Amino acid sequence: MNIPASDASIPVLTQVIDAPPPKPQARPSDDVKLGHPAGLAAAASAESASEEWAQIERLLNERVLRQIQGRIDFVLEHRVKDGLAESLQRVSEELTAEIRRGLQTTLADIVARAIAQEIARLQARK
């Protein structure tokens, strides 16, 4: 990495903090296979830690799912309401238009019959 001359006085993180060397992971190896007590203890402790992590993972999973489920229910309810409102609005508009067309046709027929009857009545008088 090239450090500009003006930044040369600023220490780099690795210069400030000496990181300890990584610890080798305990692995059940030949000691466990041979039945050495130290190897068995290490394997038992690794298994116990693994079980603890698995339990923590299950608990966190359940907690997160409960929190998400509450939010999902809320969002789902609102989306259903919004979807229903839009659908009902569209259906009511279509129904109103259909009823209006039907009324217009019916009124036109009624007026045409009334006029025809009135004309027939007037012609019959003459």
Side-chain angles (χ1 to χ4, degrees):
M1 171 175 6
N2 294 334
I3 300 175
S6 63
D7 292 341
S9 64
I10 300 173
V12 180
L13 185 59
T14 56
Q15 295 172 339
V16 175
I17 300 174
D18 291 327
K23 295 181 181 178
Q25 288 186 326
R27 295 184 335 192
S29 60
D30 296 332
D31 291 344
V32 174
K33 291 178 186 172
L34 298 174
H36 291 322
L40 290 174
S45 108
E47 185 176 319
S48 140
S50 175
E51 289 174 8
E52 288 176 10
W53 281 111
Q55 183 179 8
I56 290 171
E57 182 180 0
R58 278 191 304 272
L59 291 173
L60 283 172
N61 190 11
E62 290 171 7
R63 183 179 298 160
V64 168
L65 283 175
R66 274 194 306 267
Q67 291 173 348
I68 289 174
Q69 186 63 40
R71 184 68 183 153
I72 287 174
D73 290 344
F74 176 76
V75 170
L76 184 61
E77 181 180 335
H78 276 52
R79 287 204 176 174
V80 167
K81 283 181 180 179
D82 292 344
L84 280 175
E86 290 174 13
S87 296
L88 290 173
Q89 180 66 32
R90 193 171 348 141
V91 168
S92 68
E93 289 171 359
E94 290 173 5
L95 185 60
T96 302
E98 186 177 330
I99 290 171
R100 188 171 284 134
R101 284 190 301 269
L103 283 174
Q104 186 176 12
T105 303
T106 303
L107 285 175
D109 289 345
I110 290 172
V111 169
R113 276 192 228 144
I115 291 174
Q117 287 174 354
E118 188 62 28
I119 290 176
R121 190 176 62 89
L122 289 173
Q123 285 177 348
R125 266 193 201 177
K126 284 189 178 183

